[in-house]
Amino acid sequence: MTKKLKIVVLAKQVPDTRNVGKNAMKEDGTVNRAALPAIFNPEDMNALEQALRLKDSHPGSVVLLLTMGPARAAEIIREGYYRGADGGVLLTDRKFAGADTLATSYALAMALKKMQPDIIIAGRQAIDGDTAQVGPQVAEKLSLPQVTYAEDIVGFEKNRLVVKRRLERGVESVRTPLPVVITVHATAPECRPRNAKQLMRFKHARTLTEEQDNEHNSYLPLVSPESLRIPEWSVADVGGEESHYGLSGSPTKVKKIENIVFQAKESKRLTSSFEEIDMLMSELISSHTIG
Amino acid sequence: MDNIIIYIETEGGKISDVSLELLTKGRTLAGELSCKLEALIIGSSVEQHTQELFSYGAETVYIAQDKRLEHYLTLPYSAITIDLFKKERPQIALFGATSIGRDLAPRVSSALVSGLTADCTSLEIGDHKEVKSGKEYRNLLYQIRPAFGGNIIATIINPDCRPQMATVREGVMKKEPLKTPVKGVVKVIETKDIIKPEDFVVEIIERHIEERKIDIKGSPIIIAGGFGVGSKENFNLLYELASVLGAEVGASRAAVDAGFAEGARQIGQTGITVRPKLYIAAGISGQIQHTAGMDQSAMIISINSDPNAPIHQIADYAIIGDMNEIIPRMIKSYKLNSK
Ligand SMILES: Cc1cc2nc3c(=O)[nH]c(=O)nc-3n(C[C@H](O)[C@H](O)[C@H](O)COP(=O)(O)OP(=O)(O)OC[C@H]3O[C@@H](n4cnc5c(N)ncnc54)[C@H](O)[C@@H]3O)c2cc1C
């Protein structure tokens, strides 16, 4: 007998920091963050694939996405639909602004309490911060076990889920009861491509905010049918302590930000002498290009 | 109260290097703060390590020993750590940015509602003045780390919550034992009182060593070798440089065809396209089919003995010479300068 699972995938819209090409550089050699395209965080894609595989092997299961971000992060829910998910929620509120990983985890945990999933799957980390903290912190906030760095969610064995984990020097298989929080590693299989039928069907899925904005987007149909409405939840919808959200719920503060200056175009020629190589390496270290 | 606690990891019966590096750094921080340096070690038989911890300056070693704790498990390990931090109230707690540290530290920080900064490359003590309230803080831990894919360096602080927690990667800080070990004390943690049977709901069923798949696309630094590298053995130089810089190794098609590197590493028109923040091309001539896959990299360093090789024209730094001499010099210089 296979069970029907309710799976929630945590996904984040991030600037594509891995593809900082020369055209995303400013005159002063620093990165123009605004010029980076917003993408579906890569490891969250791996997480989505694991969820969809569970749905394939457990017919009748539901895969939902949960994302926190500004209005345009609704794109994450649409992308999920295109690849086979059944829907999702955009968690969006000015009160979330300035959240560090702890305040983010609190907000996600409050929404998850409302969604009541059997399995929560997230990417290991987001490429804009690389902290890998949100998964474990969500698990702690919900008092659930966590299985990090999953490479393969193998399947059920006596009502327990077997997960293969990728560690620094090898792999480990664990067995966990549900509900559980799983974070997925980049070495897990890539996400399946968009499905053309799903794309046609869900490209008009909209949040209310997007619909109200529609006068600026004349190429979109004016009102999407109720079934294509992407729900938006605010602090009022998920409840909890206001002081735990956003900036006030964030113990860490950014004191200083230093932009890294990448080299200007002009090419320098060096010989192979140790002195010249040493100078280059010191320069790379002090500009934080390496080290 | 108000001390520094380092979480000590063991691996194969030995203390991990990163833990000893953190103790070394912890000594400096404790000196500046005039507080004690302490260590927490959890496992099935870990008391054998206390002498070594004393020789790295730990004045108190907290030991949690239990045969059920032979392998790391999130729930019991975090229960012990949280319990100790609640009782001892350290001002700073440091963990290795390993698969264990990055699993444990966020769980602990969430339970204690204290801030955590991942993968710090530098830790310093400093003051802070809150702009809005004018409130002044003394002796905070500056947690310095690259962010945004390595495009910015951020200094993070936790003004109000304790402990101030951070993880640090192996190899980032220097490791140095004391000439004379401190006369420390051992404090045994009664695990029975802290861990509950439910903490063992996740069971390990198997563990083994297995090579990681190659992931070039995700790497911010790529060291690529071409036909000019000369042999599969010479490619080891590139792996060595990659391992000290935390980079991946790529290859030209000619190097792949010659059997110097796996096909999964091929960069270019018929391989993968990459845009790392740093691309080092060694022994690669720079044919268009290769450069099509890498010319958008933020910074390019070319190493080629032929001053007229086309790769030099797209490089920010062109090093003319033999890669067999140049790569070892880069490794040597990095090791000299990075700490
Ligand atoms: C349809 C098509 C698709 C292709 N796709 C790709 C592709 O995806 N990727 C790709 O890489 N190529 C591709 N190629 C092949 C490409 O045209 C070149 O042949 C190839 O890139 C050359 O590789 P190389 O630079 O390593 O070798 P070479 O061109 O042989 O260059 C070797 C270089 O090493 C230098 N050298 C020698 N000894 C030393 C030393 N000791 N120290 C320093 N430098 C030294 C030499 O000066 C020389 O410049 C493709 C070709 C075709 C036709």
Side-chain angles (χ1 to χ4, degrees):
Chain A
M1 197 200 80
T2 59
K3 41 173 130 250
K4 292 180 182 159
L5 301 164
K6 182 169 179 184
I7 306 165
V8 173
V9 176
L10 305 181
K12 183 179 185 188
Q13 192 176 49
V14 293
D16 192 356
T17 56
R18 300 198 301 189
N19 284 328
V20 179
K22 295 220 194 269
N23 50 9
M25 292 299 185
K26 288 194 280 196
E27 287 284 308
D28 63 0
T30 62
V31 173
N32 179 3
R33 278 177 254 164
L36 299 176
I39 59 163
F40 198 112
N41 180 51
E43 282 183 322
D44 299 345
M45 270 295 187
N46 300 97
L48 176 59
E49 176 60 25
Q50 290 297 314
L52 293 172
R53 287 182 181 204
L54 275 172
K55 182 181 159 184
D56 292 344
S57 55
H58 296 80
S61 295
V62 188
V63 173
L64 301 173
L65 286 101
L66 173 61
T67 189
M68 180 171 129
R72 68 188 163 113
E75 194 56 37
I76 293 290
I77 312 290
R78 278 189 289 276
E79 192 63 52
Y81 266 131
Y82 302 160
R83 296 183 194 244
D86 303 284
V89 173
L90 170 63
L91 201 52
T92 187
D93 195 316
R94 285 235 181 88
K95 293 182 180 130
F96 297 141
D100 70 358
T101 66
L102 204 65
T104 301
S105 308
Y106 181 76
L108 293 171
M110 292 309 289
L112 287 163
K113 277 187 186 161
K114 201 166 151 172
M115 298 171 92
Q116 291 287 326
D118 302 299
I119 307 178
I120 298 157
I121 311 182
R124 171 188 54 153
Q125 63 191 32
I127 57 170
D128 55 344
D130 288 333
T131 70
Q133 286 167 197
V134 169
Q137 290 178 333
V138 164
E140 195 281 333
K141 297 259 171 278
L142 297 171
S143 303
L144 294 180
Q146 71 196 42
V147 177
T148 47
Y149 327 120
E151 188 167 272
D152 187 17
I153 300 179
V154 183
F156 283 91
E157 220 175 68
K158 294 181 255 162
N159 270 322
R160 298 195 162 214
L161 195 57
V162 175
V163 183
K164 180 175 159 196
R165 305 177 66 211
R166 166 61 53 184
L167 307 177
E168 281 126 348
R169 289 172 188 85
V171 293
E172 177 180 282
S173 291
V174 300
R175 205 163 24 213
T176 175
L178 303 189
V180 62
V181 176
I182 298 172
T183 74
V184 178
H185 196 266
T187 52
E190 269 180 42
C191 192
R192 61 197 62 186
R194 295 173 171 181
N195 170 304
K197 270 201 200 129
Q198 295 273 108
L199 179 70
M200 289 315 291
R201 188 159 156 224
F202 291 107
K203 65 181 180 191
H204 298 309
R206 291 279 172 276
T207 60
L208 195 59
T209 310
E210 285 176 311
E211 269 165 31
Q212 287 162 350
D213 249 21
N214 226 354
E215 45 191 313
H216 309 294
N217 294 336
S218 50
Y219 58 93
L220 296 172
L222 250 130
V223 177
S224 64
E226 201 57 39
S227 63
L228 291 179
R229 174 71 52 75
I230 297 172
E232 288 170 292
W233 289 357
S234 64
V235 166
D237 295 305
V238 297
E241 291 277 328
E242 290 233 350
S243 63
H244 292 182
Y245 287 107
L247 205 57
S248 60
S250 301
T252 59
K253 313 274 178 236
V254 177
K255 176 165 174 65
K256 193 174 99 187
I257 290 213
E258 190 186 326
N259 282 307
I260 295 184
V261 179
F262 289 92
Q263 198 52 37
K265 308 140 232 348
E266 210 178 309
S267 155
K268 283 190 198 155
R269 293 219 151 200
L270 277 64
T271 71
S272 61
S273 76
F274 182 76
E275 289 66 37
E276 289 194 40
I277 289 169
D278 195 43
M279 225 140 76
L280 169 62
M281 295 303 276
S282 313
E283 230 175 278
L284 296 179
I285 291 168
S286 61
S287 69
H288 300 289
T289 304
I290 58 175
Chain B
M1 267 276 273
D2 273 344
N3 291 322
I4 298 177
I5 299 187
I6 312 289
Y7 176 80
I8 305 297
E9 242 178 81
T10 57
E11 196 188 282
K14 271 186 58 202
I15 299 178
S16 304
D17 278 348
V18 67
S19 303
L20 300 176
E21 291 160 9
L22 288 174
L23 282 171
T24 307
K25 182 73 193 180
R27 290 204 306 262
T28 315
L29 298 175
E32 283 182 57
L33 295 168
S34 315
C35 71
K36 274 194 192 152
L37 178 65
E38 308 190 306
L40 163 64
I41 185 164
I42 305 176
S44 58
S45 68
V46 287
E47 60 199 336
Q48 42 166 334
H49 299 301
T50 46
Q51 268 315 316
E52 188 169 6
L53 296 173
F54 291 153
S55 71
Y56 275 85
E59 293 160 82
T60 314
V61 176
Y62 297 99
I63 290 190
Q65 206 159 234
D66 188 316
K67 59 181 186 310
R68 296 171 294 174
L69 299 176
E70 181 180 355
H71 294 297
Y72 172 77
L73 288 166
T74 309
L75 297 177
Y77 274 61
S78 56
I80 291 167
T81 309
I82 291 163
D83 186 80
L84 180 74
F85 288 4
K86 277 188 180 160
K87 286 181 185 140
E88 290 301 323
R89 302 178 162 275
Q91 57 173 313
I92 294 173
L94 304 178
F95 298 73
T98 59
S99 41
I100 290 176
R102 298 179 101 217
D103 182 273
L104 173 64
R107 185 117 192 160
V108 172
S109 87
S110 173
L112 300 174
V113 197
S114 72
L116 168 65
T117 305
D119 290 343
C120 295
T121 48
S122 175
L123 297 170
E124 289 164 19
I125 302 296
D127 299 338
H128 175 65
K129 188 170 173 180
E130 191 79 32
V131 183
K132 258 204 214 133
S133 61
K135 195 168 166 192
E136 293 195 41
Y137 297 85
R138 301 202 23 93
N139 289 333
L140 290 181
L141 182 68
Y142 286 1
Q143 302 146 54
I144 301 161
R145 74 180 302 253
F148 226 76
N151 298 303
I152 60 172
I153 298 287
T155 302
I156 315 283
I157 48 170
N158 314 351
D160 298 305
C161 303
R162 295 293 175 272
Q164 306 167 81
M165 291 176 55
T167 67
V168 178
R169 268 189 223 196
E170 182 179 315
V172 171
M173 284 166 188
K174 152 169 97 189
K175 168 183 118 184
E176 209 164 50
L178 291 167
K179 289 200 186 70
T180 37
V182 295
K183 288 198 186 62
V185 294
V186 172
K187 292 192 180 167
V188 174
I189 296 173
E190 284 303 334
T191 55
K192 289 191 300 297
D193 307 341
I194 301 165
I195 45 186
K196 305 183 294 286
E198 311 88 89
D199 289 333
F200 295 92
V201 288
V202 178
E203 314 149 80
I204 299 172
I205 48 187
E206 203 217 327
R207 5 173 49 210
H208 64 268
I209 304 295
E210 190 181 288
E211 282 301 311
R212 205 163 62 83
K213 287 192 217 106
I214 300 163
D215 176 27
I216 296 182
K217 251 192 140 56
S219 182
I221 305 177
I222 294 173
I223 323 277
F227 191 69
V229 173
S231 68
K232 202 173 170 188
E233 289 66 50
N234 287 358
F235 248 79
N236 286 334
L237 279 175
L238 305 184
Y239 289 108
E240 207 183 310
L241 178 61
S243 114
V244 298
L245 297 184
E248 271 286 356
V249 172
S252 72
R253 177 151 141 192
V256 171
D257 288 347
F260 301 167
E262 303 95 315
R265 300 191 186 277
Q266 184 180 318
I267 289 163
Q269 190 187 320
T270 43
I272 46 178
T273 300
V274 295
R275 276 191 209 175
K277 64 172 178 165
L278 175 61
Y279 190 94
I280 303 181
I284 293 178
S285 57
Q287 301 304 315
I288 178 77
Q289 291 90 350
H290 182 79
T291 56
M294 46 68 72
D295 60 3
Q296 289 299 306
S297 307
M299 183 190 286
I300 297 167
I301 298 177
S302 59
I303 303 174
N304 196 307
S305 43
D306 175 3
N308 299 317
I311 191 78
H312 289 319
Q313 277 155 28
I314 62 163
D316 299 278
Y317 293 96
I319 312 179
I320 322 292
D322 184 352
M323 56 99 17
N324 291 299
E325 291 171 2
I326 295 167
I327 304 278
R329 285 176 191 159
M330 291 173 105
I331 296 171
K332 184 176 162 200
S333 159
Y334 181 77
K335 288 190 170 161
L336 285 173
N337 289 311
S338 67
K339 282 173 186 164

